[in-house]
Amino acid sequence: MADTKYIFVTGGVSSSLGKGIIAASLAKLLQARGYKVTIQKLDPYINIDPGTLNPYEHGECFVTEDGAETDLDLGHYERFLNVNTSQANNVTTGKIYQSVIDKERRGDFLGKTVQVIPHITNEIKERIQILGQDDAYDIVITEIGGTVGDIESLPYIEAVRQLKWELGEHNALVIHLTLIPYLSAAKELKTKPTQHSVKTLMESGISPEILVCRTEHQINDDIRSKLALFCNVKKEAVIQSIDAESIYDVPNLMAEEGLDTITLRKLDLKDDVVPNLDKWNFFVDKLKNATEELSIGLVGKYVDLQDSYKSILESFIHAGAYNDVKVNVVWINSEQEDHNETIFHKLDGLLVAPGFGERGVEGKIAAVEYARTHDVPFLGICLGLQMAVIEFSRHVLKLAEANSVEMNPNTPHPVIGLMEDQKDLKQMGGTMRLGAWDCELQPNSKLAEIYGTTQISERHRHRYEVNNSYVADLEKHGMLCTGKNPQTGLVETIELENHPWFVGVQFHPEYKSTVATPHPLFLGFIKAAKKFHTKA
């Protein structure tokens, strides 16, 4: 019998039903019972990782402690479980095929014909089971991206079929997330799409043990009985997932439906502990009962797809709840800088978002200037810090053509430049400063006060850095470089000497904010915005 149990979450009928939230919610319930749980995501696209994808294609790229550029669902996993993920938690078809082809080139297959079965499926099974080694986890939940029936998902479905058979009874189960659409003309919920979706899954040799049904309306007893009969599952294993006010309500909704109970029963695991969700529900209560509202401007160029800034938005929710406020995000397209100043005066704070490339940078610089000159609480993340340095150099140091070499390689004042080891790179993917890096904060600085320590570690995803040649001049005029990496001497944080709350960071604090531990930078930013709002 396997020591680690495996749960596979598949999706049918439609994409974007929330497999990641269901997986994270189930994991939270199992964790709250005392089980050690982790979640991984299998993505069927051929990119090695989402690092080179436009955010409009796939939403934000989430970065782990060990420097993996991953799917945004890993952000949900970390925010729900308060446990770090890693390279092993996100696997793509690109990684699978690259590994198999590398093995073939080395001669590892001893002249055999390399095929999808068994070579690709064996590689997938190996990646699924990596997290279950060394008894680090009792349960590994694997979310399979895409929708059942997609051509690109077939090798993953086949690998799951094989693995279920190999692991034996009670050691693996499949949860199928599907859609129960409501036809307003007929005024009824329809089960046929779910029946077809399960039939498609069964044609691949997999019969799901649990159905999770996304719906806008309550599912009655007749529908549960019908789904149980035609989809070959127990009636109690037909779980309703109704639209929720917040994703943070979903664990409680799943507990009410008994998703964790039926899961433990089918895995032959003990069900004698009531889930302890006290800390979770403390957060949910604060989130729901916040009465004061703040308007925070988020300045970026991907504002048409909110998933592009998913971790930032969730960090606002965490920090808002613990500051007893509701944060209303005002989306500001940085490519439309001519219209932005009419918005700025209505805001309680401004965040200039990360990004790459020249498009929209002048709008970000205009936002920085407004925040600096009007004492509006400001947080610049990654490119946001760089824009703050450029704005300050242009308007305070009077270096009118100051810029980043990313935007203008021939600028006479390259206040943002490339590290030496980045200058000759030809490949874009996975070649930036990635993952956790140490930062040493100056004692008595605003950042040290915010963190409550001078030694921190934060996650990075960038290629360009503050040019140390300009640091002395910046500091002389009031922009203090209060945090540096102790190994490289590179600037990590900046703050303004004569401003109520103006902070820029080269790293991405949003990647480390969770329900249990909201990030101190976001807590401090929202606290300052609340104070500014009160003053206004």
Side-chain angles (χ1 to χ4, degrees), residues 210-346:
I210 300 173
L211 285 183
V212 177
C213 305
R214 288 284 286 114
T215 177
E216 296 175 350
H217 301 270
Q218 295 284 342
I219 295 173
N220 62 31
D221 202 55
D222 289 344
I223 288 176
R224 289 182 195 259
S225 298
K226 187 176 182 181
L227 285 169
L229 177 64
F230 289 108
C231 297
N232 203 33
V233 299
K234 299 285 187 184
K235 185 178 173 183
E236 63 266 28
V238 179
I239 304 295
Q240 171 183 279
S241 177
I242 199 161
D243 287 358
E245 184 182 339
S246 160
I247 60 171
Y248 299 109
D249 289 326
V250 179
N252 284 309
L253 293 173
M254 291 301 98
E256 290 170 12
E257 286 287 306
L259 177 59
D260 53 332
T261 301
I262 189 73
T263 296
L264 291 172
R265 193 182 310 156
K266 289 186 176 294
L267 291 176
D268 197 25
L269 290 171
K270 288 182 179 179
D271 178 23
D272 55 359
V273 176
V274 176
N276 183 354
L277 292 171
D278 290 350
K279 289 184 179 178
W280 183 271
N281 288 328
F282 173 77
F283 162 77
V284 172
D285 287 343
K286 288 186 78 66
L287 180 64
K288 289 179 179 291
N289 292 317
T291 53
E292 193 173 349
E293 296 190 19
L294 299 180
S295 295
I296 303 293
L298 193 156
V299 186
K301 62 180 178 180
Y302 303 117
V303 296
D304 290 337
L305 181 68
Q306 294 186 8
D307 274 358
S308 301
Y309 304 107
K310 191 64 178 174
S311 291
I312 291 174
L313 297 181
E314 298 307 317
S315 299
F316 279 148
I317 292 172
H318 306 156
Y322 283 96
N323 275 291
D324 298 310
V325 297
K326 179 186 177 184
V327 176
N328 295 318
V329 175
V330 178
W331 297 92
I332 300 173
N333 190 331
S334 59
E335 293 185 85
Q336 299 173 342
E337 64 262 28
D338 292 344
H339 309 297
N340 288 341
E341 194 151 332
T342 58
I343 302 169
F344 292 155
H345 74 279
K346 302 175 184 177

Side-chain angles (χ1 to χ4, degrees), residues 41 127 136 158 197 234 241 273 336 344 416 430 444 454 456 528:
K41 175 77 179 288
R127 297 297 184 101
E158 170 60 19
S197 181
K234 299 285 187 184
S241 177
V273 176
Q336 299 173 342
F344 292 155
I416 306 295
N444 303 317
T454 58
I456 63 171

Side-chain angles (χ1 to χ4, degrees), residues 110-182:
L110 303 176
K112 294 283 187 184
T113 302
V114 180
Q115 297 176 288
V116 172
I117 303 172
H119 301 98
I120 296 299
T121 50
N122 282 350
E123 185 74 23
I124 293 169
K125 288 189 292 181
E126 187 179 311
R127 297 297 184 101
I128 288 171
Q129 294 177 94
I130 283 174
L131 290 167
Q133 295 170 357
D134 305 322
D135 297 322
Y137 299 103
D138 303 312
I139 301 167
V140 175
I141 300 177
T142 301
E143 176 193 347
I144 298 175
T147 307
V148 167
D150 295 345
I151 290 173
E152 57 264 34
S153 296
L154 288 175
Y156 293 102
I157 299 298
E158 170 60 19
V160 170
R161 184 198 67 77
Q162 292 180 21
L163 203 50
K164 278 196 72 180
W165 181 79
E166 291 167 7
L167 290 170
E169 197 174 2
H170 301 305
N171 291 320
L173 67 82
V174 172
I175 297 173
H176 190 55
L177 177 65
T178 180
L179 178 68
I180 308 292
Y182 179 78

Side-chain angles (χ1 to χ4, degrees), residues 439-443 445 447-448 451 453-456 482-484 493:
C439 174
E440 199 169 284
L441 299 171
Q442 287 180 12
S445 62
L447 269 298
Y451 278 93
T453 180
T454 58
Q455 306 296 322
I456 63 171
T482 52
K484 294 186 179 180
T493 72

Side-chain angles (χ1 to χ4, degrees), residues 479-492:
M479 177 170 275
L480 307 180
C481 300
T482 52
K484 294 186 179 180
N485 176 263
Q487 284 78 40
T488 63
L490 293 169
V491 172
E492 297 276 7

